[in-house]
Amino acid sequence: MDLEVENNEHYINHLTDVSTTNKVVAVENIYNKFGVLLVPKGTAIEHRVQEFLVGHKMQSQLDELITVQGCLTNASLEQEFQQFINKYPDLIQIHSNTNFASILNQLCAVKQIPRILLQKLTIMKIQLPDLFEQTLFSTWLACLIAKETKLTLEQINHTFYIGLLHDIGLLHIDPTLVSKRSNFTDKEWDAFKQHIKISLAIAKLIHPFGSEVLRGIKEHHERYDGSGYPMGLHNDQLGNFGQLVGLADLICHIRTRQFDKSGKSMANISPYLQINSHAFKFEFYQAMYNILQHAQLDSAEIIDRQTFTSLPKRIILKRIRIMQLHLAFNDFITHIPENLSGKHSKALFDANQQINNIIKRGGFDSTETLDWLESIKKEDYDEVHQELQELDDLQYEILWLFKKVFRIVPSFLKDELPVDSSAQSILNAQMETLHQNLLQAWADYQ
């Protein structure tokens, strides 16, 4: 990583903000690449010295030259994991019933975690607490899935470090993008994706991690069906470790974002796994199902009995929206020239086939399903409420699948569709239709 990039204004801002509560001090003289003293040893890294650091190329990595008061240790990091798990009764039950505590202790205690990694995690905890908790969740769950798939302790250790490192680069990205949930502009999305390169570069600088750890960091946003980034890899092109952390990230976002608003728990995760089954290696999905089975979680009754009869009507409306979206995407696909063979066009064709299969398996074009939904009465609650909840969850996750796939479209139009293609104007117009249909479908869930 270019040291000028490492010392960008976003990271320096984090350091100077942290210094107001946890003193950040230069433990060595800080020189630029020409040997000019920027900050003397013993100086607090406060806002008054910020201008001397931002954008400068330095002789040494900045993180090696500073120390953070109250920095995490191996022992306190293990405590952070435990405190986070204790916030969620379902995670406590999973952690206990899978006997994972002893392995987590080994991961945190047997080897000294690199000081700079602990230092950066400390800064993340203070400045980006939501991201820090996501890092804890994903690291914990990825290691648990690795254990369930009978990976060795050394491989679980690789997974542990990938989990801790994979989003560390977000400390160097504009915090407004880090906290943003959706509706990225193309420029914002390109900037956000740079965190992968930065995380990888940081990992190389702070410790001689092996190639499997570095590969896992690089691939944690890649997907088995080719819909991921930054390289659009798929199938056997992918290693195991990025897949483990990527699946854990997905489940983390569902559990800590979507489920927290609705009262759901990990017991309700199955429909979401079903929809995303094409995105990760089958053995990891199977391991996740096994973990849930071992945990013996009870599903909570989330649907209100008093408003129960309105749910089938809402599901029907949402199904209509999804079918409109599905037909619009099919129409888009039919206008893609058949002679194209780029990674984006392939990912779009594959995604369309997967969505077609999901629509067919889910009975979206079935009149019998609609008739059943229309026939449900108040007294049917005990018999059908769980099935209705799973159906609603399934439809919600289909929209997330569409959203993920549509992210590929701008890159396809820009990079792979010939400028003089007769389909260009049609596809550009249809992309706008897809966007509007997706916004309308999402509006039903607000």
Side-chain angles (χ1 to χ4, degrees), residues 1 6 61 63-64 114 116-117 120 158 161-169 172 195-218:
M1 177 171 59
E6 187 220 349
Q61 182 190 2
D63 286 298
E64 293 178 341
I116 294 176
L117 175 54
K120 282 190 171 288
H158 292 335
Y161 277 111
I162 295 166
L164 294 178
L165 285 159
H166 74 289
D167 277 342
I168 208 81
H172 301 258
H195 81 273
I196 300 174
K197 292 181 179 179
I198 299 171
S199 296
L200 186 63
I202 290 170
K204 291 177 180 178
L205 282 171
I206 67 176
H207 188 77
F209 291 109
S211 60
E212 289 182 314
V213 171
L214 300 179
R215 182 181 182 184
I217 296 169
K218 190 176 182 179

Side-chain angles (χ1 to χ4, degrees), residues 304-371:
D304 183 3
R305 284 179 179 269
Q306 301 304 316
T307 59
F308 165 67
T309 53
S310 65
L311 181 58
K313 296 181 179 64
R314 295 202 307 272
I315 289 176
I316 290 172
L317 174 61
K318 294 168 187 175
R319 288 171 81 82
I320 293 171
R321 300 290 193 203
I322 288 171
M323 285 304 294
Q324 290 172 339
L325 199 59
H326 168 56
L327 293 173
F329 186 47
N330 266 337
D331 193 33
F332 180 89
I333 292 295
T334 60
H335 285 90
I336 296 178
E338 294 182 358
N339 61 339
L340 298 184
S341 58
K343 66 179 182 179
H344 298 310
S345 57
K346 182 181 186 308
L348 288 172
F349 283 123
D350 289 347
N352 185 55
Q353 184 60 52
Q354 289 154 3
I355 291 171
N356 286 340
N357 292 338
I358 291 169
I359 293 292
K360 185 175 181 179
R361 289 199 311 268
F364 279 78
D365 53 358
S366 166
T367 57
E368 289 83 358
T369 304
L370 288 175
D371 290 342

Side-chain angles (χ1 to χ4, degrees), residues 174-199:
D174 185 342
T176 61
L177 297 184
V178 177
S179 62
K180 196 170 185 177
R181 299 295 189 220
S182 59
N183 299 323
F184 287 85
T185 66
D186 290 346
K187 185 177 181 180
E188 288 173 338
W189 186 238
D190 287 341
F192 180 84
K193 290 191 291 186
Q194 293 304 307
H195 81 273
I196 300 174
K197 292 181 179 179
I198 299 171
S199 296

